[in-house]
Amino acid sequence: METEGAGRCVVMERRAIADLILQYEAVFASHNPKAQAALHAEDGVWISPAAGKVVGRAAIERNYRYWFEAFPDLTLDLEEMLIDGDWATGFWRMRGRQEGPFFGLESSGRRIDERMAILYRMSDGAFAHLQPFYDFSGVLIKTGALKIVGAPGKK
């Protein structure tokens, strides 16, 4: 798999990678987009089903801000992590209530509860590449931002 971000890559020790992922979880709980983005390399890349390719710390910070404003109680709970060289995968549970603007929907008050995996590539103590995998269509349906017409069992 070819990835992008942080052209110069310095392999981190396994313990440092685990610590960075645990720090990601702790900082996420603060809902501070600037602090969350600071964990990414300056030229880091975030590729997501929601935002597409996001490049650079400032753009990554805007992406975090969007999610934290849409889901003021959003949590990520780490369930497991795998580390191999400068790559890691975190298996997470994402939960929250949509209270702010989200893909054209003001406030549904609906909850999401999704399992997700995040693929990371590390460089120089930061995330050079971050790519979450989750059911984004399911999130849109659960919040009401996406309606399914004629779905089986629906009237």
Side-chain angles (χ1 to χ4, degrees):
M1 169 185 262
E2 189 173 317
T3 62
E4 302 178 43
R8 182 173 69 79
C9 187
V10 176
V11 175
M12 294 169 56
E13 294 293 324
R14 184 178 188 82
R15 182 73 249 164
I17 291 171
D19 288 346
L20 183 60
I21 291 172
L22 293 172
Q23 184 180 5
Y24 180 85
E25 181 180 32
V27 172
F28 195 94
S30 75
H31 284 211
N32 180 332
K34 188 172 193 71
Q36 198 72 36
L39 299 175
H40 294 259
E42 187 63 44
D43 62 345
V45 173
W46 176 348
I47 299 175
S48 92
K53 183 178 174 183
V54 179
V55 180
R57 195 177 285 152
I60 289 169
E61 180 181 336
R62 285 190 299 275
N63 203 38
Y64 282 115
R65 185 174 319 284
Y66 182 83
W67 279 87
F68 293 152
E69 288 175 357
F71 298 88
D73 66 344
L74 190 63
T75 61
L76 274 183
D77 297 308
L78 183 63
E79 296 179 336
E80 189 69 50
M81 74 173 93
L82 301 171
I83 300 170
D84 184 22
D86 61 347
W87 289 92
T89 301
F91 297 93
W92 302 86
R93 185 125 183 216
M94 174 175 65
R95 297 182 187 115
R97 182 180 306 277
Q98 191 257 321
E99 299 290 346
F102 185 68
F103 288 88
L105 184 66
E106 281 309 308
S107 173
S108 69
R110 292 175 159 179
R111 296 199 55 75
I112 60 167
D113 186 343
E114 294 289 324
R115 295 207 184 274
M116 66 187 301
I118 301 177
L119 177 66
Y120 306 93
R121 184 170 63 88
M122 314 305 176
S123 178
D124 294 329
F127 299 120
H129 176 97
L130 184 148
Q131 187 168 2
F133 296 89
Y134 61 98
D135 181 7
F136 181 57
S137 295
V139 169
L140 292 175
I141 290 167
K142 286 176 185 174
T143 60
L146 178 63
K147 306 279 191 236
I148 303 298
V149 178
K154 300 281 184 181
K155 297 267 181 187

